[in-house]
């Protein structure tokens, strides 16, 4: 007779999650390192009770962490997963209704960025005996629909556990996707509130310690031979390093391959730091937010070697950048490897680079030397942007870059990702964390909290603009409550500066992008809003410092680093020189307009469209 344990579904879920591990290269880590949650009638008597019963302290089997917003707690899980190279993550639980739908944005972000998070939203009564319950969406087409169905298109795995017997299969399916580097993303298990509290006799083997081995697929010999042939035929190759380089732990292999074969290395947002900025083959950021060095080489390259990149439109400059090149794509996911009609090498990045390193081949020496000259020129340009005397945004980044050596910079949206991508000097992996797959305003502080939870030994610097801050600042309170120290640099330019510039470029006249009251004619061009963001941060429990010039900014940052408490450094920036886009981005412009600015923008747009390549 099988040994069983009688537990509720929620209690079984918590016990199971606490016993899941990942293993790669002989190193084991907890797969689910903790559970974030906001409780309501959809999960308080189920998962809430189960966490309380097992202790829910930071030293208990499945630690519990509070949150102030459900979207934010998914962002925190994403930050944790990325800093853990996708080998560990957090679970997030919510009540039904708005708690669950608040997680949709975070789920989309996780799936777009190929990062594992586990979502456990409460759901309706499986028995339907009390329907319609508070916050239930009644769909006349089917009583089986709930708001949790919104999570289906943004999840890599989705299931609803309507009976206790369904839980083991659902859990195993969820863990499989979370630990598969080619398939990972948001995973959702919708849990009806009555089922969460239902008892069942569970087989003891469900709760045995389980280790999920994270594979390193090796290149297929025939595919490797085809890739080697492409390399040998190339004189002007360019590597585009994406996030997969870091997740694979392949940074050392990439640096060695590039140096040995003389190949310049350009980096996407997710791939920045894959090689140190001063590596002899590093040419910096690529694409719409790229450096002049990388984008110039991209236009001239005869072969693009994509390693662990999904080729977003920012990377390809909306398919206008790689004008002469063929593609060789190294990726653990066949879906991404096959983009741009490429020759594919479906494999783990580290294993693929080791195999390609054995190919007897070098880039043309003149090409390698030209790349080094362009990179040196861009570093001199960076020094110029960093060296201003006023607090422009690049100057703020330069001061922070000097102070943050060895720390992690976290950012997500607005104009800062572009300036960071071009200017930030990352010395290695794990130091640059810019969420730019979903470019989600409000990610910064919550994501930084996740980074710090995953790497408590590192200093975490959160860069957040005033627009993002006003969308989601409340996780400062969580950081204070949990005694998780962050250095938050709040860059205040009194509006949506990035969208303002984009708006102007497409003839929309910066509408709605400044924080101003309405003037006498009813337009939003009156006085600045009397918003005190520094006071707001202090009200959430953070220490607050202000800076008026580069000298006082450096002093404030050093003081924040020395402090054991979460500290916000409030900086009001001024307009000033910033690096311009070296490559195009496809944002459609009105085809007809009464505004001269819009008509001129359309002419520029039509000309740029003619430069697009289909890449088949």
């Amino acid at each position: 007779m099988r040994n069983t344990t009688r537990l509720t579904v929620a209690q079984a879920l918590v016990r199971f999650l606490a016993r899941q591990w990942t293993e790669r290269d002989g190193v084991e880590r907890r797969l689910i390192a903790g559970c974030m949650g906001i409780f309501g009638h959809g999960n308080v008597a189920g998962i809430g009770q189960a966490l309380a019963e097992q202790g829910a302290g930071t030293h208990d089997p499945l630690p519990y962490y509070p949150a102030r917003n459900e979207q934010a707690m998914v962002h925190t899980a994403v930050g944790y997963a990325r800093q853990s190279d996708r080998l560990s993550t957090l679970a997030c639980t919510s009540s039904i209704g708005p708690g669950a739908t608040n997680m949709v944005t975070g789920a989309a972000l996780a799936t777009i960025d190929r990062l594992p998070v586990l979502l456990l939203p409460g759901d309706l009564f499986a028995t339907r005996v009390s329907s319609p319950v508070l916050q239930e969406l009644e769909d006349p087409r089917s009583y089986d629909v709930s708001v949790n169905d919104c999570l289906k298109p943004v999840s890599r795995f989705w299931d609803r556990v309507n009976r206790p017997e369904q839980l083991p299969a659902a859990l195993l399916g969820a863990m499989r996707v979370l630990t598969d580097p080619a398939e990972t993303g948001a995973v959702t298990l919708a849990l009806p509130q009555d089922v969460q509290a239902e008892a069942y006799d569970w087989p003891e083997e469900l709760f045995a310690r389980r280790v999920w081995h994270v594979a390193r697929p090796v290149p297929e010999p025939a595919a490797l031979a085809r890739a080697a042939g492409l390399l040998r035929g190339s004189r002007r190759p360019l590597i585009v390093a994406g996030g997969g380089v870091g997740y694979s732990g392949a940074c050392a292999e990439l640096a060695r391959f590039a140096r040995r074969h003389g190949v310049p290395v350009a980096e996407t947002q997710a791939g920045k730091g894959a090689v140190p900025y001063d590596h002899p083959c590093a040419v910096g950021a690529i694409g719409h937010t790229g450096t002049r060095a990388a984008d110039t080489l991209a236009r001239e390259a005869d072969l693009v070697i994509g390693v662990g990149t999904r080729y977003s439109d920012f990377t390809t400059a909306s398919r206008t950048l790689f004008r002469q090149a063929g593609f060789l794509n190294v990726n653990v996911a066949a879906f991404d490897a096959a983009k741009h009609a490429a020759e594919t090498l479906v494999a783990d990045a580290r294993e693929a680079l080791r195999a390609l390193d054995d190919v007897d081949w070098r880039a043309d020496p003149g090409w390698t030397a030209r790349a080094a000259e362009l990179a040196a020129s861009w570093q001199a340009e960076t020094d110029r942007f960093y060296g201003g005397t006023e607090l422009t945004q690049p100057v703020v980044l330069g001061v922070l870059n000097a102070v943050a050596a060895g720390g992690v910079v976290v950012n997500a949206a607005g104009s800062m990702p572009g300036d960071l991508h071009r200017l930030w000097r990352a010395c290695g992996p794990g130091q640059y964390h810019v969420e730019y797959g979903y470019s989600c305003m409000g990610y910064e502080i919550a994501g930084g909290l996740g980074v710090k939870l995953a790497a408590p030994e590192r200093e975490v610097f959160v860069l957040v603009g005033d627009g993002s801050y006003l969308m989601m600042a409340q996780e400062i309170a969580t950081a204070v409550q949990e005694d998780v120290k962050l250095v938050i640099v709040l860059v205040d330019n009194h509006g949506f500066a990035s969208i303002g510039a984009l708006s102007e470029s497409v003839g929309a006249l910066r509408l709605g992008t400044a924080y101003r009251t309405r003037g006498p004619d009813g337009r939003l061009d009156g006085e600045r809003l009397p918003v005190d963001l520094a006071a707001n941060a202090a009200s959430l429990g953070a220490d607050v410092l202000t800076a008026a010039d580069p000298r006082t900014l450096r002093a404030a940052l050093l003081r924040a680093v020395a402090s054991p408490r979460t500290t916000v450094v409030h900086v009001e920036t001024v307009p000033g020189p910033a690096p311009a886009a070296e490559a195009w981005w496809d944002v459609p412009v009105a085809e007809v307009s009464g505004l001269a600015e819009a008509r001129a923008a359309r002419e520029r747009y039509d000309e740029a469209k003619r430069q697009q390549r289909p890449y088949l």
Side-chain angles (χ1 to χ4, degrees), residues 581-602:
E582 295 288 333
W584 186 59
W585 182 38
D586 191 348
V587 178
V589 179
E591 194 167 1
V592 296
S593 174
L595 296 173
E597 296 88 345
R599 292 195 299 273
R602 180 68 195 199

Side-chain angles (χ1 to χ4, degrees), residues 42 55-56 111 116 122 132 138 161 165 183 214 288 309 357 417 460 528 583 596 608:
T111 296
E138 292 187 272
V161 181
E165 295 91 334
E183 292 293 329
V214 179
H288 178 64
T309 177
D357 201 23
V460 176
R528 282 183 174 176

Side-chain angles (χ1 to χ4, degrees), residues 11-20 167-168 171-172 175 206-208 210 212:
Q11 291 162 359
L13 168 72
V14 166
R15 185 173 295 191
F16 174 90
L17 294 179
R19 287 162 169 75
Q20 306 305 300
L167 183 66
L171 288 173
L172 293 175
M175 300 304 109
L206 179 64
F207 308 117
R210 184 180 296 271
W212 297 84

Side-chain angles (χ1 to χ4, degrees), residues 463-538:
L463 266 170
V464 60
D466 49 325
S468 281
Y469 181 91
L470 284 170
M471 286 195 176
M472 196 169 293
Q474 69 284 336
E475 297 313 312
I476 290 175
T478 302
V480 171
Q481 180 178 11
E482 290 295 311
D483 195 25
V484 175
K485 184 265 184 86
L486 302 173
V487 177
I488 301 170
V489 183
L490 174 50
V491 179
D492 191 349
N493 55 26
H494 304 282
F496 300 123
S498 172
I499 297 301
L502 177 62
S503 172
E504 189 171 50
S505 74
V506 299
L509 306 182
R510 293 183 177 261
L511 176 66
T513 60
Y515 291 162
R516 293 184 179 274
T517 60
R518 293 196 182 274
D521 61 354
R523 298 179 182 274
L524 291 168
D525 58 1
E527 298 295 321
R528 282 183 174 176
L529 292 179
V531 176
D532 190 338
L533 299 183
N536 177 266

Side-chain angles (χ1 to χ4, degrees), residues 242-445:
V245 176
Y247 299 142
S248 173
C251 295
E253 284 75 13
L254 176 61
R256 182 171 59 249
F257 176 89
R259 185 190 291 266
R260 180 178 175 189
H261 300 279
V263 186
V265 179
E267 300 165 313
T268 70
Q269 282 281 12
K272 194 169 178 69
V275 295
Y277 80 95
D278 56 356
H279 185 283
C281 293
V283 296
I286 194 166
H288 178 64
T289 55
T291 68
R292 185 175 301 114
D295 286 353
T296 297
L297 294 168
R299 294 184 182 98
E300 299 174 4
D302 62 9
L303 178 66
V304 172
I305 307 167
V307 185
T309 177
R310 66 187 188 92
Y311 286 114
S312 77
D313 64 338
F314 261 55
T315 298
T316 67
S318 299
R319 300 194 178 195
T320 62
L321 194 55
F322 306 116
R323 296 177 181 174
Q324 305 176 44
F327 292 85
L328 168 62
N329 290 340
V330 176
N331 207 295
V332 73
F335 176 81
D336 289 319
K339 289 176 177 174
H340 305 326
E343 187 68 62
T344 64
L345 196 59
V346 179
D348 172 77
R350 191 188 76 177
E351 298 305 308
L353 286 168
R354 287 179 176 178
L356 291 172
D357 201 23
D358 291 335
V359 178
D360 184 15
W361 155 84
R362 275 190 65 85
D364 183 273
W367 174 254
T368 306
R370 173 166 162 72
E373 291 171 3
L374 287 168
S377 175
W378 183 257
Q379 289 304 324
E381 189 84 344
T382 298
D383 287 337
R384 185 176 71 81
F385 282 116
Y386 275 3
T389 57
E390 293 186 296
L391 281 179
T392 63
Q393 187 163 279
V395 169
V396 171
L397 300 186
V399 175
L400 179 60
N401 208 165
V403 171
V408 185
V409 64
V410 181
N411 183 242
S415 60
M416 277 189 283
D419 287 348
L420 281 163
H421 196 205
R422 296 185 186 99
L423 300 175
W424 192 261
R425 289 166 167 164
C427 297
Q431 296 181 2
Y432 183 88
H433 183 120
V434 173
E435 191 291 299
Y436 215 57
Y438 208 40
S439 183
C440 187
M441 295 179 71
Y443 173 86
E444 296 89 341
I445 295 172

